[in-house]
Amino acid sequence: MTQRARAAAAHELPTIRTDPAVTTALAADLDAAGFTVERIDALWGAEAAASLHRGSRVAALRALAARETTPLTTLATLFVLGLPVDRADAERAFPTAGLDRVTAAGVLRTDDGSGRDEIDDSGLPDTEHRRVHPTVDLRPYAFVDDQGAGSWWIVSDLGELALGTALGEEHVLGIGGATTTLSGLQVPVPVRRVLDLGTGCGIQAMHARRFAEQVVATDISRRALDIARFNAALNGIDGIEFRLGSLYEPVAGERFDRIVSNPPFVITPRRDDVPSYEYRDGGMVGDALVETVLRGLADHLEPGGTAQLLGNWEYRWGVDGLDRVRSWFADAEDLDLWVVEREREDPPAYAETWIRDGGTKPGTEAFDRLVDAWLDDFASRRVTGVGFGYVVVRRTSATDPGRPGGAARLRRTERVPEALGSNPVGLGATVARVLDAAEWLAATDDRALAAAHLRVAGDVTEERHYWPGNDDPTVITLVQGGGFGRRVDADTALAAFVGACDGDLSVAAIVGALAQITGVDEDALTADLLPRVRDLVLDGLLLAPTS
């Protein structure tokens, strides 16, 4: 095989084949080798791991060079570092599955592409080809959710570091920050059916299956579905149905109790000379893909069903981005909406971020050309910025208390750029509490609220600041330790009210006692506190009786 042919083979996307017998045997080999997050980290240490994250393998390779070759070091070299290993070492790493079967599954290749050594003119094995190469990234993944700790092995396509080139347009992405964000947003409540729209490598569908009887995972990429199917089989996860198609086409006429999606929302110029990556680009102009996904929720959510999604939205000259998202729900009278914007980038920063993500290096002619294309595209729509964040939707029903005709009561858009609170299992439980609180508040008028017995959440603390020598605080802040880590400025009346919320006294009784102690008119104090109490319940600092 010529050098050019070997280079071409190295970048050719393999076909991933799922054979239950092979995936079961491969899982046994990975388990026997100790191929876990903890063991991999211990191979080269925190400094080398950080260096890998920055795109350099040198520190990890130096650490491995000082170790004896074992199945674990072989697996780490192949699938985490993306480097070839000797065939004999590879054979020792797959004693159950067998190297030939793993190669046939599309996970490995030899230089001749067959899984067997080439023969030179002398009739002896050609040692130049006694190397085994990874064709995919395969690495351990550990997580914690409301069911406890878990771990899987996740296959995706080789990244830029392993390829040594920019990514291909059919690239199937592995686990990144957006992955863990969305998996943490999933509401940890058991349901019957979940739709994972745009499943990619299948990770969201796998997380959803932990709380659902059945999951339908869709994608426009056949390759993504092949990889997702392989991942589910590799980790022994059943109950996921994989369907090929765009957006809601594969589930036309069907409804689900939950919809999760990390859609291909990246805003990309619609030009032939700009790469279009399937994993991030939905093929529409601007943020139309996100708009289409959000507008379609009403037709595919069961009454009471929820959706958790990630997305981008454009800010245009004179038009706020969050207002644009709200407008997409103007006719969706039976959908509650909560949008949390976590980040906003100006057009050049946004363009540079995603051009680098595709593997094009800054300072090159190609990079500058792509930035120019992005800025032309933004200018055509007078885009001034792009927001990124979370979208939570719930479909109401006519039988919901306090909702005549099933009308929505939650229309909340907010910017939360600060650090979040401590959320070891993600924000899913917080999302569920906010939706429950909104439901309760919608059915609770001021008279019912006054009669309610509220409790302060266990993660709420209070900060007070004083001028030197002054006994009265100048600033009082209620601090949420979990959830969105909200900080609420409070006066002495609100702070005292929250401090008295232990579930024993009603809201009216606490307000009455405070009015008597402070000499304030009780009706005036009630009118001042009740709206703020509602906000604290919605934010989770105060817990309603049903929470």
Side-chain angles (χ1 to χ4, degrees), residues 301-315:
L301 280 175
E302 294 279 10
T306 66
Q308 296 90 54
L309 309 95
L310 305 183
N312 273 172
W313 37 87
E314 292 182 341
Y315 285 75

Side-chain angles (χ1 to χ4, degrees), residues 436-474:
D436 288 345
E439 188 70 40
W440 184 80
L441 290 167
T444 305
D445 60 17
D446 282 352
R447 183 185 296 274
L449 179 59
H453 292 242
L454 306 180
R455 293 178 294 110
V456 62
D459 62 345
V460 175
T461 57
E462 180 183 281
E463 294 179 356
R464 294 192 174 215
H465 299 268
Y466 300 81
W467 290 114
N470 194 331
D471 292 335
D472 296 322
T474 56

Side-chain angles (χ1 to χ4, degrees), residues 33-110:
F35 195 54
T36 66
V37 172
E38 183 178 326
R39 293 283 301 278
I40 292 294
D41 287 346
L43 277 181
W44 42 60
E47 290 183 359
S51 182
L52 269 175
H53 185 71
R54 295 191 298 268
S56 173
R57 293 179 288 210
V58 175
L61 286 170
R62 289 170 63 90
L64 287 183
R67 292 182 174 274
E68 178 186 358
T69 299
T70 66
L72 179 60
T73 64
T74 298
L75 293 171
T77 302
L78 279 168
F79 295 127
V80 180
L81 301 185
L83 294 171
V85 299
D86 289 340
R87 182 184 179 93
D89 293 334
E91 288 175 336
R92 283 191 289 270
F94 302 104
T96 306
L99 181 58
D100 287 348
R101 290 204 299 169
V102 176
T103 301
V107 175
L108 298 171
R109 70 169 178 84
T110 54

Side-chain angles (χ1 to χ4, degrees), residues 215-296:
V215 177
V216 176
T218 69
D219 208 288
I220 197 171
S221 166
R222 189 177 300 277
R223 176 173 178 72
L225 292 178
D226 286 345
I227 288 179
R229 188 178 292 107
F230 188 93
N231 281 330
L234 180 62
N235 293 284
I237 299 173
D238 61 5
I240 303 176
E241 181 183 352
F242 299 95
R243 300 184 190 177
L244 179 69
S246 176
L247 297 177
Y248 295 106
E249 291 175 1
V251 293
E254 298 182 50
R255 291 187 182 272
F256 299 85
D257 303 297
R258 182 171 305 139
I259 297 174
V260 297
S261 182
N262 180 13
F265 57 71
V266 176
I267 298 167
T268 306
R270 304 264 66 84
R271 288 174 36 170
D272 292 340
D273 60 343
V274 175
S276 175
Y277 298 103
E278 287 183 337
Y279 74 90
R280 72 182 201 189
D281 174 19
M284 297 186 184
V285 174
D287 53 17
L289 185 283
V290 173
E291 178 182 357
T292 301
V293 171
L294 294 181
R295 287 185 182 275

